[in-house]
Amino acid sequence: MAVKLWMPSAFDRHTRIGEIIGRMVIEYGEMEWDLCLLVSHVSGDDDTAFKAIYRSRGETQRINVADALVRHKLTEGKFRTIYEQTIANIRRCLKLRNQYAHTNWLDTPSDGLCFVDVEELAKSDQVFEISNAKRYQLDLETVSDQQRFFIEVLQNLRYLCMEYQYLNGSSSHQGFHYVENVKPPLAATEISVGQI
């Protein structure tokens, strides 16, 4: 008979927060795909758009390649302004996604759900000591607001895809559901450095 091992998780008491974070980490790929579709529409070349973006390793590189293929083809005006805002917001979504994908999670009696950003810790010039690790506290309000931000950014990216096709005459449907003035998301609260 096999013995089933089980390790407690920081998300045992915070399942809803875990679900939202999991969706943001996983669904970031949908955002990349829609960015690829926008590149395809603007360039008029599905094959080149797909291969240029997905042969690149790393999410930051993919955004940079997409931006290089699109930005110079957009004339000044409302569409380009929305595009530039959306690209900046995609970068913010990526930062959130990476923060959650590369962390160590804790559930402490005093602070609740917290995480240590291990990439941030690794980039420090200080000698690694776990006691130097900054902890960030997270709650349902914060991750719900971050999820709202992801949804609005994705909606604006999809708006750009539809609107570009309408503007270049390849579709009779205008873009819809554009979210004006996307408000930046709440951030996790940094708490004191201390024993983990």
Side-chain angles (χ1 to χ4, degrees):
M1 181 168 105
V3 176
K4 191 172 188 180
L5 297 177
W6 175 81
M7 293 289 294
S9 165
F11 294 104
D12 286 346
R13 288 190 322 124
H14 307 279
T15 55
R16 183 68 186 126
I17 293 173
E19 289 169 5
I20 293 170
I21 289 170
R23 288 193 67 157
M24 286 189 290
V25 170
I26 292 168
E27 290 177 353
Y28 177 80
E30 294 297 310
M31 200 173 287
E32 268 189 354
W33 177 252
D34 284 348
L35 182 58
C36 180
L37 292 177
L38 180 62
V39 172
S40 172
H41 299 319
V42 172
S43 69
D45 186 344
D46 296 345
D47 184 63
T48 299
F50 177 75
K51 289 178 180 171
I53 291 171
Y54 285 104
R55 284 184 180 174
S56 299
R57 294 297 301 158
E59 294 84 4
T60 299
Q61 183 66 17
R62 288 181 183 142
I63 295 170
N64 292 342
V65 168
D67 190 36
L69 293 170
V70 170
R71 186 180 296 264
H72 72 281
K73 293 190 175 202
L74 303 179
T75 58
E76 294 296 326
K78 181 182 175 187
F79 188 88
R80 182 170 176 151
T81 300
I82 294 169
Y83 167 78
E84 289 172 348
Q85 292 166 348
T86 302
I87 282 291
N89 285 335
I90 291 170
R91 291 181 193 283
R92 183 176 254 156
C93 287
L94 174 59
K95 186 175 179 183
L96 280 170
R97 179 253 180 220
N98 284 347
Q99 180 181 47
Y100 292 142
H102 306 289
T103 59
N104 186 345
W105 294 95
L106 317 159
D107 183 16
T108 66
S110 59
D111 299 318
L113 184 64
C114 302
F115 65 90
V116 174
D117 185 334
V118 293
E119 285 190 339
E120 176 185 73
L121 192 59
K123 291 175 186 172
S124 171
D125 292 333
Q126 295 179 359
V127 173
F128 171 76
E129 291 181 30
I130 198 68
S131 61
N132 291 336
K134 286 188 230 172
R135 285 184 291 165
Y136 296 90
Q137 190 175 46
L138 205 54
D139 58 26
L140 185 57
E141 178 186 2
T142 300
V143 295
S144 295
D145 188 60
Q146 292 170 350
Q147 182 181 40
R148 178 236 5 121
F149 181 74
F150 263 68
I151 290 167
E152 290 177 356
V153 172
L154 187 55
Q155 181 59 50
N156 284 356
L157 184 54
R158 289 177 175 167
Y159 163 84
L160 286 169
C161 286
M162 289 182 68
E163 187 69 6
Y164 190 84
Q165 291 175 87
Y166 174 76
L167 292 173
N168 77 5
S170 62
S171 174
S172 60
H173 300 286
Q174 262 188 291
F176 59 90
H177 298 302
Y178 169 66
V179 182
E180 289 190 60
N181 304 317
V182 175
K183 187 176 87 174
L186 296 174
T189 305
E190 184 179 331
I191 56 178
S192 62
V193 174
Q195 285 297 85
I196 296 178

